[in-house]
């Protein structure tokens, strides 16, 4: 059957539009099944805790379960890499932070780019780090802790969430501004490191508030300072590093959500709306505040604000990190 030219062109146009139509149809039907949020660190740590609080509430807005899967190793690069390679269909979400999406890009070689290979969804919250030690470390303030480190430099240890993780970078920073030296003990996340700190197997951590605060409140570890210019509302008794005599050790860890590059805008918008809903939820806000999390204002809870902040953080920290010559393993 010989098609007239116009009929043929008409059919061809229709066929060409099919992917766009199915893409839009898919985006409109999204989400049609459960999604997976990849946590690049061990269960029980700060990123896992924040992921589970968000996933639980986002389910209400999305009408589908958001499963949390821990894919650990190499300071988070393995879990984030899983999302970089995932289909841009809206069903694989990356939760990450300053460590995974800024620091790692400066110190690790891996087959994805921490900015270019992801679609930003939204910032979630930020928290300073806490300088903490095992309960029986013989020091009552930050200066005594630094003196103890210097007096025990051969055996002193700092637990980290992996080589090149935010906690490791902060440790290198602490060494460079105090002259103290100590060994780094890498774990698959801050959660398992904290278990060993509570057990007295390691001496200190420079750790996210979300991970240390519950232990600090339980009296199972000691706290010395927060790595910020202002005190933490959730732990007003802890001095800032400036007040404790270590000016300038300011490290803020911010968490955010991303999706694989080329995920349709309609899908990003739906997921962003679910994040905004969750961050407006009173119960979520209370739980995040108890974990020392500072939620960004509403006007910063959008993909464009995350992209701008992420880019600025890369431009600020990459020169510093590269100059420090910290290499990922
Ligand atoms: C974790 O969840 O273990 C942390 O985000 C790791 C880190 O602090 O870099």
């Amino acid at each position: 059957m010989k098609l007239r030219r116009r009929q043929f062109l008409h059919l061809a146009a229709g066929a060409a539009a099919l992917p766009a139509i199915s893409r839009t149809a898919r985006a409109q039907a999204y989400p049609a099944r459960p999604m997976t949020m990849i946590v690049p660190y061990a269960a029980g740590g700060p990123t896992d805790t924040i992921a589970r609080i968000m996933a639980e509430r986002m389910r209400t807005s999305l009408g589908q379960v958001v499963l949390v899967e821990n894919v650990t190793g190499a300071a988070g690069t393995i879990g984030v890499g899983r999302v970089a390679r995932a289909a841009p269909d809206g069903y694989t979400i990356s939760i990450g932070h300053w460590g995974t999406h800024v620091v790692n890009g400066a110190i690790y070689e891996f087959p994805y780019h921490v900015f270019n290979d992801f679609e930003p969804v939204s910032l979630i919250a930020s928290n300073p780090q806490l300088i903490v030690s095992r309960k029986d470390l013989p020091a009552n303030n930050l200066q005594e802790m630094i003196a103890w480190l210097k007096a025990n430099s051969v055996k002193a240890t700092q637990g980290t969430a992996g080589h090149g993780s935010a906690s490791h970078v902060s440790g290198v920073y602490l060494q460079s501004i105090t002259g103290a030296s100590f060994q780094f003990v890498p774990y698959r996340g801050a959660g398992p490191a904290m278990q060993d700190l509570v057990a007295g197997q390691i001496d200190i951590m420079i750790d996210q508030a979300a991970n240390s605060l519950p232990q600090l409140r339980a009296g199972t570890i000691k706290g010395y300072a927060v790595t910020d210019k202002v005190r933490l509302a959730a732990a007003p008794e802890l001095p800032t590093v400036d007040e404790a005599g270590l000016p300038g050790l300011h490290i803020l860890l911010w968490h955010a959500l991303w999706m694989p590059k080329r995920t349709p805008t309609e899908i990003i918008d739906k997921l962003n709306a679910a994040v905004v809903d969750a961050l407006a939820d009173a119960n979520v806000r209370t739980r995040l505040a108890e974990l020392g999390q500072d939620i960004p204002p509403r006007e910063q809870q959008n993909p464009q604000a995350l992209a701008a902040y992420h880019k600025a953080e890369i431009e600020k920290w990459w020169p510093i990190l590269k100059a420090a010559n910290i290499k990922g393993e």
Side-chain angles (χ1 to χ4, degrees), residues 39-42 44-49 75 97 99-100 129 161-162 165-167 188-192 206-208 211 253 255:
V39 172
Y41 297 106
T47 303
D48 184 69
T49 304
H97 56 50
T100 55
Q129 294 175 308
S165 65
S167 42
R188 283 179 168 271
I206 305 178
D207 184 35
Q208 291 186 53
N211 199 45
L253 244 113
H255 277 89

Side-chain angles (χ1 to χ4, degrees), residues 26-85:
R26 271 205 307 274
Q28 273 150 9
Y30 175 84
R33 55 185 167 83
M35 289 141 274
T36 301
M37 188 183 290
I38 304 285
V39 172
Y41 297 106
T47 303
D48 184 69
T49 304
I50 291 167
R52 290 176 194 278
I53 291 171
M54 294 299 291
E56 189 189 315
R57 180 57 182 77
M58 289 167 68
R59 170 186 183 163
T60 313
S61 310
L62 294 162
Q64 286 286 351
V65 172
V66 180
L67 303 163
V68 171
E69 184 183 343
N70 302 86
V71 180
T72 68
T77 59
I78 295 174
V80 174
R82 165 85 72 84
V83 180
R85 293 189 304 280

Side-chain angles (χ1 to χ4, degrees), residues 44 63 103-104 106 115 123 142 164 166 172 184 240 283 322:
V103 175
N104 286 349
F115 186 90
L123 281 164
L142 187 59
V172 171
F184 296 111
T240 66
N283 176 39
K322 290 182 177 174

Side-chain angles (χ1 to χ4, degrees), residues 252-267:
L252 205 60
L253 244 113
W254 44 274
H255 277 89
L257 293 183
W258 292 265
M259 293 188 117
K261 193 72 187 165
R262 283 180 290 286
T263 300
T265 312
E266 303 89 342
I267 289 179

Side-chain angles (χ1 to χ4, degrees), residues 115-122 257-264 268 303 306:
F115 186 90
N116 299 339
D117 288 326
F118 297 90
E119 298 293 349
V121 175
S122 180
L257 293 183
W258 292 265
M259 293 188 117
K261 193 72 187 165
R262 283 180 290 286
T263 300
I268 300 282
L306 172 55

